[in-house]
């Protein structure tokens, strides 16, 4: 009989527990609380494994579909009713009448299917384990009336998100369910109409993925995000930086106007300067893009100025794709590529189902990313007209983007007042930062790669060290 190496087994188990944030595990010994059974530990490990999987969910904001709503809501309602945890079953039961009401109103608003079938959907599901809802009772009483969405009670209900507070374990179970099953339209309804505050977030906090070092990126071509410094040092560095800014004399830079935009006829929505500061491009509310040469040399087309026509809605973001082309995004849900040689659009990228607010270029891997009202970020390669990866996680539209200098991470800010840092290779969120009280308008990495600066509608600029 072979001898069992208990010390080796103990070290392997302790190493595994430490990677899973069991801080009480040490090399010499580890203890298992008598209150937690082996089966419970296995269940928790399985849940942790599922939650650590990729958060890349394909959410396309497709129009409401009665059959999909019926299938996904039925499955979700049955899953809630069979939960063994009484607290989770009660808390998630709060979501059922809200989701059902919004699904029904979405169907009515989109004129999806007949009014009678939509009404039957509402009536069929408002039974059993769904708690009483005054709104649903009113909707049932109104029947199939044509002015349903104009009723004051309905307008008030749809005027803002409904906030539902869930315990951390309950929220984890909900996330695991949404990841494990095909629930695209259910997730879309929750993301659009229901706010689920994360109980683990308090002030400026960060959720760190403990498996970063276990990713499929080799150490030779990766640059891991550094560990956060101590809070005291971070505060001291920030105070010193603020003092430097306040005490430094302001030296105005000489300025020269190359173009003056008339705010009535040609309002400018965005602008971008190329790497060598020789060409500037602007996106206009009219849907046009304007390009000017800032040097005596003219553009490749032989002109000092050129107008680019293609978008059928206001331009919201514009960026230079290295020295190769110009990228622009618009309210028309598309991204267009304009090569420098001709400045004629030769590629249209479709995949978003909302306004594309922001663009960012990954200089290392020659990718670019986009952020849209459909609550997703997308990763693109110029060679393909369809996205190669979709990032989902923000509860409101993302509005700002920037790649880390190593090209392996992407920071995004959104209208949900949070900043997320994503692992580009697999789409996971590796940092979740909160603290702003308004929409995030800008995110920027310091060239050293260790500092992230964010700015929002709350008139605050935050410097986050050791991101």
């Amino acid at each position: 009989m072979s001898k069992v190496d208990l010390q080796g087994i103990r070290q392997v188990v302790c190493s595994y527990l430490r990677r899973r944030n069991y801080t009480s595990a040490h090399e010499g010994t580890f203890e298992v609380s008598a209150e937690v059974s082996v089966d419970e530990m296995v269940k928790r490990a399985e849940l942790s494994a599922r939650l650590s999987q990729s958060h890349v969910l394909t959410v396309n904001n497709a129009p409401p579909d009665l059959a999909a709503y019926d299938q996904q809501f039925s499955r979700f309602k049955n899953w809630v009713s069979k939960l063994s945890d009484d607290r989770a079953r009660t808390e998630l039961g709060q979501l059922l009448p809200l989701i059902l009401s919004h699904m029904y109103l979405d169907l009515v608003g989109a004129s999806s299917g007949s009014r009678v079938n939509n009404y039957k959907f509402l009536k069929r599901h408002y039974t059993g384990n769904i708690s009483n809802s005054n709104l649903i009772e009113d909707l049932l009483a109104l029947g199939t009336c044509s002015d349903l969405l104009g009723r004051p009670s309905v307008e008030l209900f749809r005027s803002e998100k409904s906030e539902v507070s869930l315990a951390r374990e309950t929220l984890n179970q909900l996330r695991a369910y949404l990841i494990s099953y095909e629930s695209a339209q259910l997730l879309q309804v929750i993301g659009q109409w229901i706010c689920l505050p994360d109980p683990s977030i308090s002030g400026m906090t960060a959720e760190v993925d403990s498996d970063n070092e276990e990713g499929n990126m080799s150490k030779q071509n990766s640059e891991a995000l550094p560990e956060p410094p101590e809070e005291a040092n971070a505060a001291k560095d920030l105070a010193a930086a603020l003092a430097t800014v306040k005490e430094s004399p302001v030296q105005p830079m000489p300025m020269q106007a190359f173009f003056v935009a008339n705010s009535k006829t040609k309002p400018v929505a965005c602008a971008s300067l190329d790497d060598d500061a020789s060409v500037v491009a602007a996106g206009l509310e009219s849907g046009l893009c304007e390009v000017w040469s800032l040097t005596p040399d003219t553009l490749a087309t032989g002109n000092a100025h050129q107008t680019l026509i293609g978008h059928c809605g206001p331009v919201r973001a514009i960026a230079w794709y290295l020295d190769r082309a110009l990228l622009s995004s618009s309210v028309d849900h598309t991204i267009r590529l304009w090569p420098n040689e001709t400045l004629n659009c030769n590629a249209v990228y479709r995949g978003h189902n909302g306004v594309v607010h922001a663009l960012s270029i990954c200089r290392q891997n020659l990718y670019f990313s986009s952020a849209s009202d459909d609550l997703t970020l997308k990763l693109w390669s110029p060679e393909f007209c369809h996205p190669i990866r979709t990032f989902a996680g923000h509860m409101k539209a993302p509005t700002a983007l920037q790649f880390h200098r190593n090209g392996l991470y992407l920071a995004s800010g959104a209208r949900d007042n949070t900043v997320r840092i994503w692992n580009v290779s697999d789409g996971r969120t590796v940092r979740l930062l909160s603290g702003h009280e308004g929409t995030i308008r800008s995110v920027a990495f310091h060239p050293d790669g260790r500092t992230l600066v964010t700015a929002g509608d709350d008139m605050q600029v935050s410097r986050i060290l050791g991101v």
Side-chain angles (χ1 to χ4, degrees):
M1 182 176 180
S2 61
K3 183 178 180 180
V4 178
D5 184 4
L6 294 179
Q7 183 63 23
I9 294 176
R10 183 179 293 110
Q11 291 177 354
V12 171
V13 172
C14 288
S15 177
Y16 173 84
L17 293 177
R18 282 201 308 277
R19 291 200 303 274
R20 293 297 184 269
N21 292 332
Y22 285 83
T23 55
S24 60
H26 302 284
E27 288 292 339
T29 60
F30 72 94
E31 300 178 356
V32 178
S33 172
E35 299 177 358
V36 181
S37 65
V38 174
D39 291 340
E40 182 64 22
M41 291 186 67
V42 171
K43 290 180 181 179
R44 292 182 182 181
E46 290 177 349
L47 175 61
S48 176
R50 290 202 303 271
L51 291 177
S52 66
Q53 293 174 354
S54 171
H55 292 291
V56 180
L57 303 176
T58 305
V59 184
N60 289 323
N61 271 21
D65 178 78
L66 178 59
Y69 274 5
D70 187 58
Q71 178 189 31
Q72 294 180 25
F73 184 80
S74 297
R75 183 170 57 202
F76 180 66
K77 182 174 66 171
N78 292 335
W79 174 74
V80 171
S81 66
K82 294 177 181 179
L83 287 173
S84 58
D85 186 344
D86 292 339
R87 179 177 180 178
R89 187 169 62 252
T90 301
E91 290 182 340
L92 292 175
Q94 303 174 63
L95 296 178
L96 294 176
L98 297 175
I99 294 174
L100 179 60
S101 300
H102 282 300
M103 283 184 166
Y104 175 64
L105 295 174
D106 284 346
L107 292 169
V108 172
S111 300
S112 178
S114 70
R115 293 181 183 176
V116 174
N117 289 338
N118 295 339
Y119 182 77
K120 288 180 178 179
F121 163 77
L122 176 67
K123 190 174 182 179
R124 180 170 62 256
H125 287 293
Y126 187 55
T127 56
N129 62 337
I130 295 185
S131 58
N132 293 332
S133 168
N134 293 332
L135 177 65
I136 296 183
E137 295 287 354
D138 293 342
L139 295 177
L140 290 172
L142 291 171
T144 59
C145 65
S146 58
D147 63 340
L148 177 63
L149 297 179
R151 299 290 176 130
S153 59
V154 174
E155 289 184 341
L156 179 62
F157 177 64
R158 303 274 275 190
S159 63
E160 59 182 11
K161 283 190 174 184
S162 304
E163 183 170 319
V164 179
S165 297
L166 304 178
R168 184 172 184 177
E169 288 295 329
T170 304
L171 186 59
N172 286 342
Q173 291 186 62
L174 175 60
R175 288 172 175 168
Y177 174 87
L178 295 174
I179 292 173
S180 302
Y181 295 93
E182 176 57 41
S183 307
Q185 293 209 337
L186 175 64
L187 177 61
Q188 182 175 312
V189 172
I190 294 175
Q192 184 175 1
W193 297 110
I194 300 175
C195 177
L196 301 174
D198 193 330
S200 65
I201 299 176
S202 178
M204 183 65 70
T205 61
E207 285 187 357
V208 182
D209 190 332
S210 62
D211 292 333
N212 278 349
E213 71 277 7
E214 298 180 285
N216 55 6
M217 298 176 293
S218 64
K219 294 183 179 179
Q220 288 78 10
N221 60 7
S222 67
E223 183 176 343
L225 293 174
E227 291 297 322
E230 295 182 1
E231 183 177 353
N233 294 336
K236 186 183 300 184
D237 291 343
L238 179 58
L242 292 174
T244 301
V245 172
K246 291 179 180 179
E247 296 171 2
S248 299
V250 178
Q251 299 292 339
M253 297 289 291
M255 300 182 67
Q256 179 181 354
F258 291 94
F259 172 75
V260 178
N262 186 315
S263 61
K264 293 183 178 179
T265 60
K266 287 189 174 182
V268 176
C270 51
S272 179
L273 195 66
D274 70 342
D275 287 345
D276 58 3
S278 62
V279 182
V280 66
L284 309 184
E285 289 288 341
S286 63
L288 301 177
C289 296
E290 304 277 2
V291 180
W292 298 271
S293 174
L294 305 184
T295 65
D297 298 330
T298 59
L299 303 173
T301 58
N303 303 316
H305 165 254
Q306 186 161 337
T307 300
L308 313 183
I309 302 174
H311 286 296
C312 57
V315 179
R316 285 290 172 256
I318 200 163
W320 289 98
Y321 184 70
L322 306 181
D323 58 352
R324 304 182 181 185
L326 178 69
L327 284 167
S328 60
S329 65
S330 169
V331 173
D332 63 10
H333 305 180
T334 68
I335 303 167
R336 291 178 179 265
L337 182 74
W338 316 80
N340 287 353
E341 293 78 10
T342 62
L343 287 178
N344 291 326
C345 178
N346 73 343
V348 180
Y349 303 93
R350 293 183 172 90
H352 282 298
N353 289 278
V355 178
V356 183
H357 289 288
L359 297 169
S360 182
I361 311 299
C362 178
R363 298 176 178 274
Q364 289 76 11
N365 300 319
L366 303 183
Y367 296 138
F368 67 90
S369 62
S370 57
S372 170
D373 271 348
D374 61 10
L375 308 186
T376 68
L377 315 175
K378 292 186 183 293
L379 185 70
W380 308 79
S381 173
E383 289 76 20
F384 303 98
C385 290
H386 298 283
I388 58 178
R389 181 159 290 118
T390 299
F391 305 85
H394 283 296
M395 303 303 290
K396 291 186 179 180
T399 52
L401 282 176
Q402 192 182 50
F403 278 99
H404 190 273
R405 70 173 188 175
N406 61 16
L408 303 178
Y409 301 96
L410 176 67
S412 64
R415 289 176 180 163
D416 60 9
N417 308 346
T418 67
V419 175
R420 287 176 180 262
I421 301 179
W422 309 82
N423 187 322
V424 174
S425 66
D426 56 21
R428 292 180 298 173
T429 300
V430 296
R431 296 285 194 279
L432 175 58
L433 308 170
S434 67
H436 279 287
E437 297 179 355
T439 298
I440 310 299
R441 293 299 178 186
S442 181
V443 295
F445 280 107
H446 189 277
D448 65 9
R450 295 179 57 88
T451 305
L452 178 69
V453 177
T454 63
D457 281 352
D458 56 359
M459 297 183 287
Q460 299 291 326
V461 176
S462 298
R463 180 187 179 207
I464 305 164
L465 299 175
V467 296

